[in-house]
Amino acid sequence: MKQEKDPEFVKFTGIEKRFGKVLAVKRMDLEIPEGSLVTLLGPSGCGKTTLLRMLAGLESPTRGDIYIKGRRMNDTPIHKRNLGMIFQNYALFPHKTIFDNVAFGLKYRNISKSVIKDKVEKALETVRLPGVGERMPSQLSGGQQQRIALARAIVIEPDVLLMDEPLSALDENLREDMRREIDNLQQALGVTTIFVTHDQREALSMSDKVVVMKDGFIQQEGTPEEVYNNSINHFVADFLGHSNFINSVVKEKTGDFLSVTLEDDHTFFAVPAGVLNTGDKAEIVIRAQKFKLGYRTDHVPEEGMNVFFGKIVDRSYMGGEVSYFIELDNKLVLHAINFVKRSPYRRGDEVFMKVAPEHCRLLKL
Ligand SMILES: Nc1ncnc2c1ncn2[C@@H]1O[C@H](COP(=O)(O)OP(=O)(O)OP(=O)(O)O)[C@@H](O)[C@H]1O
Ligand SMILES: [Mg+2]
């Protein structure tokens, strides 16, 4: 029978870390389910590395507790926590062979040489670099070296795999490949993984759960879809993707939506993201991808559809998509992103931009 997965495989309760005057992590509670890949996402300095280092035992918490598999870890030394780690700057030992690099974590485990050999070979096969054991790190490419670091982390069959921005030193294409590789490998091994990044695309594409952090606090946690589609505040909506924010005042409930008044008295329909009452100030959040553009002269009014009119002031081609900045008649500038084949518009063109109310979310101000 399949064992139930532990929803609190890793658990932080009231965890806090102070460095002198800086509170790097503030009273944080977080649970990491067994077998999942959870990313910690947030801007530089928000406490991601500090949280990971506390879990690893490289830093001790100022207060709060850390549990792995239900056991309190606060006083457990680093080598007894059974964690695999890959850090951005954690290079391979340059003077050791690949074999010795990968075997490193097994040395102190009382395992026979022949078993070590088998395990190392298997780990190298897992990262698709079989047979490189005799080489030196300098004889491998950057991406290959990062795969060896991965082999070294998984060879010990860790309870938890910790990765702190492991892809940031790689170029864009290689990053994409490695991202997919880590994702596949994590699923194949089923190892509980905490992945730190400040790259939202990385976080959204590979996680079971995304934890968005700012200033040592968790802002929101949830599936990639939840945090992207139902961002609970300005910071999260702004950090994930390209969002427009428009100030408004709540007027009344109209069918499934709320109608609001914009600063130019324009009426707009949107979905409330929380409890909102008539007269409340709220900001409308609209993803740049949700606008449909057309030439102003072609516009036909549609019942219940939100629409703006303006002029294109900036256009940038981004490969598959085109990014536009549009100055509205009321001088507000909005950002729209459309697929290339729906984007014949040029700088200076007069356009309308329409967006259905279900793509407009209202956050209380
Ligand atoms: N050893 C330390 N001594 C003093 N302050 C520290 C120390 N380590 C981290 N900090 C501070 O704690 C805060 C959180 O740092 P942390 O390295 O955890 O951020 P991060 O989210 O990993 O950022 P980045 O994305 O830049 O890696 C920062 O303000 C940082 O300056
Ligand atoms: Mg960091």
Side-chain angles (χ1 to χ4, degrees), residues 224-238:
E225 290 81 4
E226 276 163 4
V227 293
Y228 186 83
N229 292 322
N230 299 319
S231 304
I232 59 159
N233 61 30
H234 184 106
F235 175 80
V236 178
D238 201 22

Side-chain angles (χ1 to χ4, degrees), residues 244 288-289 291 293 322-326 334-338 353:
N244 293 282
Q289 289 85 351
F291 286 114
L293 269 53
V322 180
S323 163
Y324 293 107
F325 284 89
I326 296 154
L334 296 181
H335 185 194
I337 297 174
N338 277 192
M353 36 196 323

Side-chain angles (χ1 to χ4, degrees), residues 134-196:
E134 299 311 310
R135 291 203 217 164
M136 301 306 281
S138 61
Q139 295 171 300
L140 296 179
S141 72
Q144 288 171 330
Q145 288 186 35
Q146 206 54 325
R147 300 232 284 273
I148 299 301
L150 193 55
R152 180 171 60 183
I154 61 173
V155 76
I156 60 163
E157 294 168 40
D159 287 328
V160 190
L161 191 56
L162 308 182
M163 297 197 241
D164 194 350
E165 312 229 10
L167 309 181
S168 56
L170 306 177
D171 68 47
E172 185 62 27
N173 286 333
L174 201 52
R175 260 180 104 118
E176 186 88 37
D177 290 348
M178 278 299 287
R179 185 189 306 160
R180 252 181 298 136
E181 203 153 318
I182 290 174
D183 202 4
N184 293 338
L185 186 72
Q186 191 273 335
Q187 280 179 29
L189 299 176
V191 58
T192 308
T193 302
I194 307 180
F195 187 99
V196 165

Side-chain angles (χ1 to χ4, degrees), residues 44-45 47-50 88 164-165 196 198:
S44 186
K48 307 179 295 291
T49 296
T50 305
Q88 177 187 351
D164 194 350
E165 312 229 10
V196 165
H198 57 247

Side-chain angles (χ1 to χ4, degrees), residues 10 50 188 247 270 295 306 319 330 333 360:
V10 175
T50 305
N247 288 333
Y295 290 111
N306 295 312
N330 65 12
V333 175
C360 305

Side-chain angles (χ1 to χ4, degrees), residues 11 20 32 97 118 123 145 201 269 295 302 321 347 358:
K11 186 162 84 159
I32 313 278
T97 63
D118 288 348
Q145 288 186 35
R201 279 202 320 181
F269 302 98
Y295 290 111
E302 284 173 75
E321 295 168 324
R347 186 192 291 254
E358 59 262 31

Side-chain angles (χ1 to χ4, degrees), residues 23-59:
L23 252 182
V25 172
K26 297 170 189 160
R27 290 285 193 122
M28 195 182 282
D29 295 313
L30 178 64
E31 281 125 41
I32 313 278
E34 183 174 6
S36 64
L37 193 159
V38 172
T39 46
L40 306 179
L41 173 69
S44 186
C46 72
K48 307 179 295 291
T49 296
T50 305
L51 192 65
L52 218 58
R53 286 174 61 83
M54 287 193 281
L55 180 60
L58 294 162
E59 214 68 81

